[in-house]
Amino acid sequence: MELSGLERVLTTLRHKEPDRVPHFELYIHQKVRDFIKPGASYFDVVEALDLDAIVVDDMPQNDMAEMLDSSRFRNKWGVVWQTSSDSIHPVEGPIKSEKDLDTWVLPDPDDPKRYRQLADIVDRYKGRKAIIVAFQDPFDIASTMRGAENYYKDFILNPPLVDRIGELLRGYYLKYIDNCMATGADIIFITGDYATTKWPMLSNRCFSRHVIPVLKALTTEAKSKGAYVFKHTDGNVMPIMDLLLESGIDGLHPIDPNAGMDLGLMKEKYGERLTLMGNVDCAETLCWGSAEAVREDVRRCMRQGAKGGGYICMSSNTIHSAVKPQNYLEMIGAIREFGVYPICV
């Protein structure tokens, strides 16, 4: 029997085998969307390709509180972002010194406009697709508020400031999660990297003391409201896997192959406790690999990750501007060919 996208994702999260391996993406670049359907929005592509989940995100590019000029805007946290056709990056944060935090105003998590798009998606897709709300990890937001260099120094030179910012952001997102769940979300997806391709960005002690407690608080709140929780982090997170498990997350994305993250090893070590997500190489294979190379990468992922459930096949980050549109379509076709249970690849 063919399942709905929601049923397929929930069955996978329960570590059981659905009819086939689920697929969705956090982000699909406009260039790829235009190839699929000229002028298409992310939501149009989800519909056209019948993806299993739909993501409503709170990312910086969707959070323009104030346009400063044609290429710069300030978001609700007071961070100035620079945009171009292919990138977006923070250029100035509002917390240049500790006393700036005394006058900084926390956004209103009860502002109804923050939930209008989610409410529209719930009206359209509830029960059909897994409805996911994605937002930046407070660790990631704090880095943009302070500026990355200052923020990493704070962990050593001013840990109370790290905790003070973390506490404010935690309070906002506890309420935000409650409101999203009340609106009808199924899954909370917390994004923001904890590692580079070589190693984590902080020591285990710093993660354990300052970062994981905030993640755990958000995860606990979401799960108390009936949500599953996904965490995105690129990079080599093997040294902090025990801490990630301690946070209570249900799924980990994207099992970054360019950081040496081995999907088969992750399945062997953590497959009974985590749903694994991603690992199809979007740095090389999806960009300039052949159609057969894409198919082989998907086949490998199915072989390493899919048996017994607990695997969602996705790119190893997002479908970004360098991804060849034909290769993304080849990837989807391969998922639906090789991802039928029982897995026989």
Side-chain angles (χ1 to χ4, degrees), residues 127-160:
R128 290 175 49 202
K129 299 183 184 296
I131 298 172
I132 299 173
V133 169
F135 61 82
Q136 284 181 285
D137 194 301
F139 172 73
D140 205 40
I141 296 170
S143 176
T144 65
M145 288 172 59
R146 282 285 287 138
E149 182 177 348
N150 290 331
Y151 185 55
Y152 287 108
K153 288 179 180 178
D154 290 339
F155 280 90
I156 304 302
L157 302 178
N158 197 351

Side-chain angles (χ1 to χ4, degrees), residues 235-250:
N236 176 14
V237 295
M238 291 302 289
I240 58 170
M241 277 305 302
D242 288 344
L243 294 175
L244 288 169
L245 289 167
E246 178 187 316
S247 75
I249 59 172
D250 299 292

Side-chain angles (χ1 to χ4, degrees), residues 151-207:
Y151 185 55
Y152 287 108
K153 288 179 180 178
D154 290 339
F155 280 90
I156 304 302
L157 302 178
N158 197 351
L161 179 57
V162 171
D163 289 337
R164 187 179 171 195
I165 296 173
E167 187 71 18
L168 288 168
L169 297 176
R170 182 181 75 165
Y172 174 89
Y173 276 117
L174 288 173
K175 186 61 176 175
Y176 182 78
I177 287 168
D178 288 351
N179 289 337
C180 288
M181 295 307 299
T183 304
D186 301 306
I187 294 167
I188 299 297
F189 203 144
I190 303 173
T191 70
D193 297 338
Y194 286 175
T196 69
T197 55
K198 292 185 177 181
W199 43 62
M201 295 174 177
L202 299 171
S203 68
N204 280 36
R205 182 184 65 82
C206 285
F207 270 116

Side-chain angles (χ1 to χ4, degrees), residues 22 192-193 265 268-269:
D193 297 338
L265 177 62
E268 178 184 342
K269 295 188 69 172

Side-chain angles (χ1 to χ4, degrees), residues 45-69:
V45 170
V46 169
E47 181 75 25
L49 299 179
D50 194 22
L51 305 188
D52 294 305
I54 189 161
V55 180
V56 179
D57 70 48
D58 191 40
M59 299 297 105
Q61 60 267 37
N62 296 329
D63 186 26
M64 298 184 187
E66 178 188 4
M67 287 301 302
L68 301 176
D69 54 41

Side-chain angles (χ1 to χ4, degrees), residues 109-119 176 179-180 183:
D110 292 322
D111 184 346
K113 73 173 180 289
R114 303 201 188 285
Y115 308 97
R116 288 174 187 159
Q117 186 178 63
L118 174 60
Y176 182 78
N179 289 337
C180 288
T183 304

Side-chain angles (χ1 to χ4, degrees), residues 56-126:
V56 179
D57 70 48
D58 191 40
M59 299 297 105
Q61 60 267 37
N62 296 329
D63 186 26
M64 298 184 187
E66 178 188 4
M67 287 301 302
L68 301 176
D69 54 41
S70 61
S71 64
R72 295 183 309 137
F73 69 90
R74 182 177 286 108
N75 71 2
K76 66 175 177 287
W77 307 110
V79 178
V80 176
W81 291 78
Q82 179 75 44
T83 67
S84 69
S85 59
D86 286 326
S87 68
I88 175 172
H89 59 274
V91 294
E92 183 181 359
I95 312 301
K96 297 177 177 61
S97 68
E98 188 165 1
K99 65 181 179 181
D100 288 334
L101 203 55
D102 296 331
T103 55
W104 178 76
V105 178
L106 190 72
D108 179 7
D110 292 322
D111 184 346
K113 73 173 180 289
R114 303 201 188 285
Y115 308 97
R116 288 174 187 159
Q117 186 178 63
L118 174 60
D120 290 343
I121 294 300
V122 168
D123 286 344
R124 186 172 179 182
Y125 292 107
K126 188 66 175 177

